[in-house]
C-alpha cells in the first residue's frame, strides 16, 4: 500500500486491505456492475447513468477496490512528476544531440 509521507505517523499496517478483502471488493464490484447492466438490457440510457460514468473511469482492477485512493495519490504525487521529469530530460538530450549534429 502506498504511504503518504506527510501522514506516515498515522499509518497503521494492521488496517491496510488484505488480499481476501480486496478479492471481496472486486467480487462486489463485478456483481453490482452486472446488476446495473441487467437493468438496461433494452438499451435505454438516461444519459447520466452513474454506472456508465463509473465504468468509463475504470481501467484497472485496483480502481475497483479500496486501494484506489492511495494508488491515485501515489500516481499524482510521485509517478506523474517523475515521468514528467524523465520526459524533460529525454527532450533536452534529444535537443542537445540535434544541436550538435545540426539535425533540427
Amino acid at each position: 500500500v502506498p504511504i503518504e509521507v506527510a501522514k506516515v505517523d498515522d499509518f497503521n499496517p494492521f488496517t491496510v486491505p488484505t488480499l481476501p478483502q480486496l478479492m471481496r471488493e472486486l467480487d462486489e464490484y463485478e456483481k453490482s456492475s452486472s446488476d446495473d447492466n441487467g437493468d438496461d438490457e433494452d438499451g435505454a440510457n438516461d444519459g447520466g447513468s452513474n454506472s456508465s460514468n463509473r465504468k468509463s473511469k475504470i481501467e484497472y482492477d485496483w480502481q475497483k477496490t479500496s486501494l484506489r485512493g492511495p494508488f491515485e495519490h501515489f500516481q499524482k504525487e510521485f509517478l506523474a512528476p517523475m515521468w514528467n521529469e524523465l520526459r524533460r530530460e529525454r527532450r533536452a538530450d534529444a535537443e542537445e544531440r540535434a544541436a550538435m549534429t545540426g539535425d533540427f
Side-chain angles (χ1 to χ4, degrees):
V1 175
I3 302 170
E4 291 183 45
V5 176
K7 298 179 181 179
V8 72
D9 291 333
D10 297 334
F11 179 72
N12 182 352
F14 298 108
T15 60
V16 298
T18 61
L19 288 177
Q21 178 186 346
L22 293 173
M23 294 302 295
R24 271 193 310 276
E25 291 173 6
L26 287 171
D27 290 342
E28 289 169 4
Y29 180 89
E30 295 301 325
K31 183 178 182 213
S32 69
S33 178
S34 66
D35 289 347
D36 290 345
N37 288 340
D39 295 340
D40 291 339
E41 285 181 338
D42 62 350
N45 189 351
D46 61 355
S49 173
N50 287 338
S51 65
S52 66
N53 289 340
R54 182 178 61 173
K55 281 184 183 179
S56 66
K57 297 176 186 174
I58 302 294
E59 295 180 44
Y60 306 102
D61 283 341
W62 58 262
Q63 292 174 313
K64 302 172 187 175
T65 69
S66 57
L67 291 176
R68 183 177 187 153
F71 276 30
E72 287 177 345
H73 177 78
F74 180 71
Q75 283 183 323
K76 179 182 171 189
E77 299 297 323
F78 180 75
L79 293 178
M82 183 178 67
W83 181 245
N84 290 336
E85 181 61 28
L86 285 171
R87 280 191 296 208
R88 271 190 292 265
E89 288 175 6
R90 287 181 182 165
R91 190 173 338 143
D93 289 344
E95 289 174 1
E96 185 178 323
R97 283 192 306 275
M100 289 179 164
T101 61
D103 185 22
F104 291 97

